[in-house]
Amino acid sequence: MPLAENKTHRLVLDALLLSIALIFSYVEAIFPLTAFIPLPAFKLGLANVVIMLAVWIVSSIDAVFISLVRVVVMGLLFGNPVSIWFSLGGAVLSLLTLVILKRFASLKFSFVGISVLSAAAHNVGQIIFATAFFGVKTVFAYLPFLLVVSTVFGAICGALVNFIFPKILKLKVKK
Amino acid sequence: MKNRICQNDFFAVAAVLILALVVFLAPMFGNRSADYVKITTDSGEQIFSLSKNSEYTVTSNEHSVTVKVNDREVWVVQATCADKVCVNSGKILYGGQVIVCAPARISIEIIGEKGDVDYAVG
């Protein structure tokens, strides 16, 4: 399954995936989602597409690195010290879910299910961090809405990846 | 992973939606003898009795929110924030339920036991 044929190929793949993840995050940051969904702290979750692909194209470990580096870079460029922690919290739980899914249930879901579950995990992770920061109960009020919206977007992203993945597997390095 | 949507995907979606529902309904199983409403802002907390019908306007982070208490129900009548999520949140009446105005950093919560209350106004 992993596409990398040697270490250099793997390094290049990681770098490419990281760049794409950063671009997706940037586009996401600019996109005025609050015009459609009048709730703050919502994200389209586009970067998750890349991370999911990374887990299955390269490996779980590569995906972990790509995700964490993306969070830090985006936080440094566009965020503030507080938002980095929220992104981290969400990313960590999301990554954990992806790793567990790959290890134990790799053939049971298509990317739609994987995307939905990792998006939900991302939200739960963010809420847990926010609760630790601000105090109990208050932020939990957000969670149901976050979960519902992320399920919709997660399903869409998952369907996208379902479509892309076979094409990616066909990519070969030119000798 | 498979490349076509399969049955397990629907289970995954259902599981997440059920989780959302559970989290949403959880406050209803909480404290029913809740007697106070606690409004938390940037500058601190204020606690009001649920038995007294009244309107309170609080200001925080350059936004102001008007909260109405009537018939032991609490809701937001008016807010200066841009998204008005708090206004559309409806009424809360059970212990543990919360209305939040994120831009204003204001939270309105129903609390119950005497232990939660440090002082009460009204």
Side-chain angles (χ1 to χ4, degrees):
Chain A
M1 197 72 64
L3 219 51
E5 294 164 22
N6 53 57
K7 276 195 178 168
T8 310
H9 191 189
R10 179 179 176 184
L11 182 63
V12 169
L13 277 176
D14 283 355
L16 274 177
L17 287 167
L18 176 63
S19 314
I20 298 175
L22 286 169
I23 295 176
F24 276 12
S25 294
Y26 180 60
V27 168
E28 211 175 53
I30 296 189
F31 189 70
L33 192 62
T34 40
F36 302 104
I37 300 177
L39 288 170
F42 261 104
K43 289 165 43 180
L44 284 173
L46 291 176
N48 194 245
V49 167
V50 179
I51 306 301
M52 275 196 305
L53 275 174
V55 172
W56 267 273
I57 290 180
V58 204
S59 83
S60 298
I61 303 182
D62 297 72
V64 168
F65 275 119
I66 294 174
S67 180
L68 293 180
V69 171
R70 176 194 76 90
V71 166
V72 171
V73 171
M74 285 304 292
L76 288 174
L77 286 177
F78 299 104
N80 51 65
V82 179
S83 76
I84 296 185
W85 286 109
F86 294 159
S87 290
L88 258 181
V92 163
L93 207 61
S94 179
L95 278 171
L96 199 65
T97 314
L98 284 172
V99 168
I100 292 178
L101 277 174
K102 180 176 186 193
R103 175 75 178 75
F104 295 109
S106 189
L107 288 177
K108 297 221 175 78
F109 297 95
S110 80
F111 281 105
V112 168
I114 297 172
S115 178
V116 163
L117 288 174
S118 63
H122 190 103
N123 289 331
V124 171
Q126 279 189 311
I127 292 293
I128 291 179
F129 264 68
T131 305
F133 241 80
F134 293 124
V136 209
K137 288 181 199 165
T138 312
V139 218
F140 262 90
Y142 254 160
L143 191 55
F145 302 107
L146 278 180
L147 284 175
V148 170
V149 173
S150 74
T151 305
V152 171
F153 284 139
I156 296 175
C157 285
L160 254 174
V161 177
N162 266 349
F163 182 67
I164 294 177
F165 193 69
K167 323 266 181 198
I168 291 187
L169 285 184
K170 291 191 188 143
L171 295 175
K172 286 280 177 209
V173 177
K174 278 194 196 155
K175 296 283 181 209
Chain B
M1 56 10 316
K2 304 182 183 305
N3 286 322
R4 316 245 65 197
I5 299 184
C6 60
Q7 196 186 41
N8 280 334
D9 291 331
F10 289 107
F11 288 152
V13 171
V16 174
L17 291 179
I18 289 176
L19 176 67
L21 196 65
V22 165
V23 175
F24 185 67
L25 295 177
M28 282 192 206
F29 299 102
N31 198 340
R32 277 175 184 257
S33 68
D35 290 322
Y36 304 94
V37 64
K38 176 168 78 174
I39 303 183
T40 311
T41 66
D42 265 356
S43 38
E45 298 176 350
Q46 288 175 286
I47 296 178
F48 305 98
S49 168
L50 259 191
S51 330
K52 179 173 173 180
N53 295 347
S54 184
E55 255 189 46
Y56 309 99
T57 305
V58 280
T59 318
S60 168
N61 199 32
E62 287 156 50
H63 286 291
S64 87
V65 168
T66 308
V67 181
K68 191 168 172 83
V69 180
N70 194 29
D71 278 344
R72 297 186 73 90
E73 290 178 334
V74 179
W75 69 96
V76 174
V77 182
Q78 216 247 124
T80 58
C81 57
D83 44 36
K84 304 276 192 275
V85 172
C86 40
V87 183
N88 292 326
S89 283
K91 302 180 180 177
I92 57 174
L93 53 151
Y94 300 109
Q97 281 187 302
V98 192
I99 300 178
V100 174
C101 180
R105 294 208 271 267
I106 291 178
S107 94
I108 304 145
E109 184 182 355
I110 310 261
I111 62 177
E113 286 100 15
K114 286 266 159 80
D116 288 343
V117 182
D118 295 318
Y119 66 93
V121 178

